[in-house]
Amino acid sequence: MSGIERPAGRRGVGGFAEGIGFCFRGLGWVARHPGWWLFGLIPALIALALYVVALVWLGTHATDVAAWVTPFADDWGWRDTFRALVGFMIFVVGLALSVLTFTAVTLVIGDPFYEKLSEKVEEDLGGLPSGDLPFWSSLLRSVRDSLVTLWYVVLFTVPLFVLGFVPVVGQTVVPVVGAFVSGFFLTVELTALAMERRGLRRKERFALLRANLPVTLGFGVPLFLAFMVPLVSVVAMPGAVAGAAMLVRLRLAPAPAPEDQASGGRAPEGQARDTRPA
């Protein structure tokens, strides 16, 4: 896998807890670097403004959209009630899609911002690994990979949405499975920058994250649950990007420091040199 050895790590509950730890490490990093936190807020605020405008428009035109998609109900005596219900469902679906896609859209908008933020985190941990892509190549790949990831999310979300109407199972098992699925794909999105820096393509990234599933879920699930709270995703996004860079560098795909690369050596036990306290 591009010459990167798969690191050994804790599994099960221990791995999940380790993933949670990287969430807090990322938040701690931006707390110590408030300037970079403000820098990382810019794309999230842009995305938030776009989503607010889109949701306000959908909320005020939901009935019109419902009438457009239900021409067969023109002659129904209760068409207004029916279309009001359809309009409400359309708005709920739009709101759910906004939650699911906000991170992906923010990462695409903020690619140059988060690239710099992720690089700064790695510099603090000992230096950047080789393998940076040109900006436009990185941006195009980011857009393409985000669309592919979104497609996978939809493939999982639609069946889970349908199963949500099943009594008992829909109110117990489905929300838990949905959180784990969404958490996994959130980690896929957030770790893409640091993994691309190591020359890892989409299939390799997916394979690496699946091979380290407990830590992957431990990182992504808490962030997914937090991002469901209004505005938390905006405030916490810089910390999530910083935590993802640490997760990749120190746990998933360790890279030798620049001085080790020059000498052809590796850091002890295949780990990157962490020059900052945890």
Side-chain angles (χ1 to χ4, degrees), residues 154-185:
V154 171
L155 286 180
F156 281 95
T157 302
V158 171
L160 289 173
F161 177 77
V162 174
L163 289 173
F165 293 98
V166 178
V168 182
V169 174
Q171 292 73 50
T172 55
V173 177
V174 171
V176 175
V177 174
F180 276 78
V181 170
S182 299
F184 175 83
F185 285 111

CSV table of all heavy atoms in Angstrom, one decimal, residues 154-185:
chain,number,residue,atom,x,y,z
A,154,VAL,N,-25.5,7.4,0.4
A,154,VAL,CA,-26.9,7.3,-0.1
A,154,VAL,C,-27.3,5.8,-0.1
A,154,VAL,O,-28.4,5.4,0.3
A,154,VAL,CB,-27.1,8.0,-1.4
A,154,VAL,CG1,-28.5,7.6,-2.0
A,154,VAL,CG2,-26.9,9.5,-1.3
A,155,LEU,N,-26.4,5.0,-0.6
A,155,LEU,CA,-26.6,3.5,-0.7
A,155,LEU,C,-27.0,2.9,0.6
A,155,LEU,O,-27.8,2.0,0.7
A,155,LEU,CB,-25.5,2.8,-1.4
A,155,LEU,CG,-25.2,3.0,-2.9
A,155,LEU,CD1,-24.0,2.2,-3.3
A,155,LEU,CD2,-26.5,2.5,-3.7
A,156,PHE,N,-26.3,3.4,1.7
A,156,PHE,CA,-26.5,2.9,3.0
A,156,PHE,C,-27.7,3.6,3.7
A,156,PHE,O,-28.5,3.0,4.4
A,156,PHE,CB,-25.3,3.0,3.9
A,156,PHE,CG,-24.2,2.0,3.7
A,156,PHE,CD1,-23.2,2.2,2.8
A,156,PHE,CD2,-24.3,0.8,4.3
A,156,PHE,CE1,-22.2,1.3,2.6
A,156,PHE,CE2,-23.3,-0.2,4.1
A,156,PHE,CZ,-22.3,0.1,3.2
A,157,THR,N,-27.9,4.9,3.4
A,157,THR,CA,-28.9,5.7,4.1
A,157,THR,C,-30.3,5.3,3.7
A,157,THR,O,-31.2,5.3,4.6
A,157,THR,CB,-28.6,7.2,3.9
A,157,THR,OG1,-27.3,7.5,4.4
A,157,THR,CG2,-29.6,8.0,4.7
A,158,VAL,N,-30.5,5.1,2.4
A,158,VAL,CA,-31.9,4.9,1.9
A,158,VAL,C,-32.5,3.6,2.6
A,158,VAL,O,-33.6,3.6,3.1
A,158,VAL,CB,-31.9,4.8,0.4
A,158,VAL,CG1,-33.3,4.3,-0.1
A,158,VAL,CG2,-31.6,6.1,-0.2
A,159,PRO,N,-31.7,2.4,2.6
A,159,PRO,CA,-32.3,1.3,3.2
A,159,PRO,C,-32.5,1.5,4.7
A,159,PRO,O,-33.5,1.0,5.3
A,159,PRO,CB,-31.2,0.2,3.0
A,159,PRO,CG,-30.5,0.6,1.8
A,159,PRO,CD,-30.5,2.1,1.9
A,160,LEU,N,-31.6,2.2,5.4
A,160,LEU,CA,-31.8,2.5,6.8
A,160,LEU,C,-33.0,3.4,7.1
A,160,LEU,O,-33.7,3.2,8.1
A,160,LEU,CB,-30.5,3.1,7.4
A,160,LEU,CG,-29.3,2.2,7.5
A,160,LEU,CD1,-28.0,3.0,7.9
A,160,LEU,CD2,-29.5,1.1,8.5
A,161,PHE,N,-33.2,4.3,6.2
A,161,PHE,CA,-34.4,5.2,6.3
A,161,PHE,C,-35.7,4.4,6.2
A,161,PHE,O,-36.6,4.6,7.0
A,161,PHE,CB,-34.4,6.3,5.2
A,161,PHE,CG,-35.6,7.2,5.2
A,161,PHE,CD1,-35.7,8.2,6.1
A,161,PHE,CD2,-36.6,7.0,4.3
A,161,PHE,CE1,-36.8,9.0,6.2
A,161,PHE,CE2,-37.7,7.8,4.3
A,161,PHE,CZ,-37.8,8.8,5.2
A,162,VAL,N,-35.7,3.4,5.3
A,162,VAL,CA,-36.9,2.6,5.1
A,162,VAL,C,-37.1,1.7,6.3
A,162,VAL,O,-38.2,1.5,6.9
A,162,VAL,CB,-36.8,1.7,3.8
A,162,VAL,CG1,-37.9,0.7,3.7
A,162,VAL,CG2,-36.8,2.6,2.6
A,163,LEU,N,-35.9,1.1,6.8
A,163,LEU,CA,-36.0,0.2,8.0
A,163,LEU,C,-36.4,1.0,9.3
A,163,LEU,O,-36.9,0.4,10.2
A,163,LEU,CB,-34.7,-0.4,8.2
A,163,LEU,CG,-34.3,-1.5,7.2
A,163,LEU,CD1,-32.8,-2.0,7.5
A,163,LEU,CD2,-35.2,-2.7,7.3
A,164,GLY,N,-36.2,2.3,9.2
A,164,GLY,CA,-36.6,3.1,10.4
A,164,GLY,C,-38.1,3.1,10.7
A,164,GLY,O,-38.5,3.4,11.8
A,165,PHE,N,-38.9,2.7,9.7
A,165,PHE,CA,-40.3,2.6,9.9
A,165,PHE,C,-40.8,1.2,10.5
A,165,PHE,O,-41.9,1.0,10.8
A,165,PHE,CB,-41.1,2.8,8.6
A,165,PHE,CG,-41.0,4.2,8.1
A,165,PHE,CD1,-40.0,4.5,7.1
A,165,PHE,CD2,-41.7,5.3,8.6
A,165,PHE,CE1,-39.9,5.8,6.6
A,165,PHE,CE2,-41.6,6.6,8.1
A,165,PHE,CZ,-40.7,6.9,7.2
A,166,VAL,N,-39.8,0.3,10.6
A,166,VAL,CA,-40.1,-1.0,11.2
A,166,VAL,C,-40.2,-0.8,12.7
A,166,VAL,O,-39.3,-0.3,13.4
A,166,VAL,CB,-39.0,-2.0,10.9
A,166,VAL,CG1,-39.3,-3.4,11.5
A,166,VAL,CG2,-38.9,-2.2,9.3
A,167,PRO,N,-41.3,-1.3,13.3
A,167,PRO,CA,-41.5,-1.1,14.8
A,167,PRO,C,-40.4,-1.8,15.5
A,167,PRO,O,-39.8,-2.8,15.2
A,167,PRO,CB,-42.8,-1.9,15.0
A,167,PRO,CG,-43.6,-1.8,13.7
A,167,PRO,CD,-42.5,-1.9,12.7
A,168,VAL,N,-40.0,-1.1,16.6
A,168,VAL,CA,-38.9,-1.6,17.6
A,168,VAL,C,-37.6,-1.5,16.9
A,168,VAL,O,-36.7,-0.7,17.4
A,168,VAL,CB,-39.2,-3.0,18.1
A,168,VAL,CG1,-38.1,-3.3,19.1
A,168,VAL,CG2,-40.6,-3.1,18.8
A,169,VAL,N,-37.3,-2.2,15.9
A,169,VAL,CA,-36.0,-2.2,15.2
A,169,VAL,C,-35.7,-0.8,14.7
A,169,VAL,O,-34.6,-0.3,14.8
A,169,VAL,CB,-36.0,-3.3,14.0
A,169,VAL,CG1,-34.7,-3.1,13.3
A,169,VAL,CG2,-36.2,-4.7,14.6
A,170,GLY,N,-36.7,-0.2,14.1
A,170,GLY,CA,-36.5,1.2,13.5
A,170,GLY,C,-36.2,2.2,14.6
A,170,GLY,O,-35.6,3.2,14.2
A,171,GLN,N,-36.5,2.0,15.8
A,171,GLN,CA,-36.3,2.9,16.9
A,171,GLN,C,-35.1,2.6,17.8
A,171,GLN,O,-34.8,3.3,18.7
A,171,GLN,CB,-37.6,3.1,17.7
A,171,GLN,CG,-38.7,3.7,17.0
A,171,GLN,CD,-39.4,2.8,16.0
A,171,GLN,OE1,-39.7,1.7,16.3
A,171,GLN,NE2,-39.6,3.3,14.8
A,172,THR,N,-34.5,1.4,17.6
A,172,THR,CA,-33.4,1.0,18.4
A,172,THR,C,-32.2,0.6,17.6
A,172,THR,O,-31.1,1.3,17.7
A,172,THR,CB,-33.9,-0.3,19.2
A,172,THR,OG1,-34.3,-1.3,18.3
A,172,THR,CG2,-35.0,0.1,20.2
A,173,VAL,N,-32.3,-0.4,16.8
A,173,VAL,CA,-31.1,-0.9,16.0
A,173,VAL,C,-30.7,0.1,14.9
A,173,VAL,O,-29.5,0.4,14.8
A,173,VAL,CB,-31.4,-2.3,15.5
A,173,VAL,CG1,-30.2,-2.7,14.6
A,173,VAL,CG2,-31.7,-3.3,16.6
A,174,VAL,N,-31.7,0.6,14.2
A,174,VAL,CA,-31.4,1.4,13.0
A,174,VAL,C,-30.6,2.7,13.3
A,174,VAL,O,-29.6,3.0,12.6
A,174,VAL,CB,-32.7,1.7,12.2
A,174,VAL,CG1,-32.4,2.7,11.1
A,174,VAL,CG2,-33.2,0.4,11.6
A,175,PRO,N,-31.0,3.4,14.4
A,175,PRO,CA,-30.3,4.7,14.7
A,175,PRO,C,-28.8,4.4,15.0
A,175,PRO,O,-27.9,5.1,14.7
A,175,PRO,CB,-31.0,5.2,15.9
A,175,PRO,CG,-32.4,4.7,15.8
A,175,PRO,CD,-32.2,3.3,15.2
A,176,VAL,N,-28.6,3.3,15.7
A,176,VAL,CA,-27.2,2.9,16.1
A,176,VAL,C,-26.4,2.6,14.9
A,176,VAL,O,-25.3,3.0,14.7
A,176,VAL,CB,-27.2,1.7,17.1
A,176,VAL,CG1,-25.7,1.3,17.4
A,176,VAL,CG2,-27.9,2.1,18.4
A,177,VAL,N,-27.0,1.7,14.0
A,177,VAL,CA,-26.3,1.3,12.8
A,177,VAL,C,-26.0,2.6,11.9
A,177,VAL,O,-24.9,2.7,11.3
A,177,VAL,CB,-27.1,0.3,12.0
A,177,VAL,CG1,-26.4,0.0,10.6
A,177,VAL,CG2,-27.2,-1.0,12.8
A,178,GLY,N,-27.0,3.4,11.8
A,178,GLY,CA,-26.9,4.7,11.0
A,178,GLY,C,-25.8,5.5,11.5
A,178,GLY,O,-25.0,6.1,10.8
A,179,ALA,N,-25.6,5.7,12.9
A,179,ALA,CA,-24.6,6.5,13.4
A,179,ALA,C,-23.2,5.9,13.1
A,179,ALA,O,-22.2,6.6,12.8
A,179,ALA,CB,-24.7,6.6,14.9
A,180,PHE,N,-23.1,4.5,13.2
A,180,PHE,CA,-21.8,3.9,12.9
A,180,PHE,C,-21.4,4.0,11.4
A,180,PHE,O,-20.3,4.3,11.0
A,180,PHE,CB,-21.8,2.4,13.3
A,180,PHE,CG,-21.5,2.2,14.7
A,180,PHE,CD1,-22.5,2.4,15.7
A,180,PHE,CD2,-20.3,1.8,15.1
A,180,PHE,CE1,-22.2,2.3,17.0
A,180,PHE,CE2,-19.9,1.6,16.5
A,180,PHE,CZ,-20.9,1.8,17.4
A,181,VAL,N,-22.4,3.9,10.5
A,181,VAL,CA,-22.2,4.0,9.1
A,181,VAL,C,-21.8,5.5,8.8
A,181,VAL,O,-20.8,5.7,8.0
A,181,VAL,CB,-23.4,3.6,8.3
A,181,VAL,CG1,-23.3,4.0,6.8
A,181,VAL,CG2,-23.7,2.1,8.4
A,182,SER,N,-22.5,6.4,9.3
A,182,SER,CA,-22.2,7.8,9.0
A,182,SER,C,-20.9,8.2,9.6
A,182,SER,O,-20.1,9.0,9.0
A,182,SER,CB,-23.3,8.7,9.6
A,182,SER,OG,-24.6,8.4,9.0
A,183,GLY,N,-20.5,7.7,10.8
A,183,GLY,CA,-19.3,7.9,11.4
A,183,GLY,C,-18.1,7.4,10.6
A,183,GLY,O,-17.1,8.1,10.5
A,184,PHE,N,-18.3,6.3,10.0
A,184,PHE,CA,-17.2,5.7,9.2
A,184,PHE,C,-16.9,6.6,8.0
A,184,PHE,O,-15.8,7.0,7.7
A,184,PHE,CB,-17.6,4.3,8.7
A,184,PHE,CG,-16.6,3.7,7.7
A,184,PHE,CD1,-15.5,3.1,8.2
A,184,PHE,CD2,-16.8,3.8,6.4
A,184,PHE,CE1,-14.6,2.5,7.3
A,184,PHE,CE2,-15.9,3.3,5.4
A,184,PHE,CZ,-14.8,2.6,5.9
A,185,PHE,N,-18.0,7.0,7.3
A,185,PHE,CA,-17.8,7.8,6.1
A,185,PHE,C,-17.4,9.2,6.4
A,185,PHE,O,-16.7,9.9,5.6
A,185,PHE,CB,-19.1,7.9,5.3
A,185,PHE,CG,-19.4,6.6,4.5
A,185,PHE,CD1,-20.4,5.7,4.9
A,185,PHE,CD2,-18.5,6.2,3.5
A,185,PHE,CE1,-20.6,4.6,4.2
A,185,PHE,CE2,-18.7,5.0,2.8
A,185,PHE,CZ,-19.8,4.2,3.1
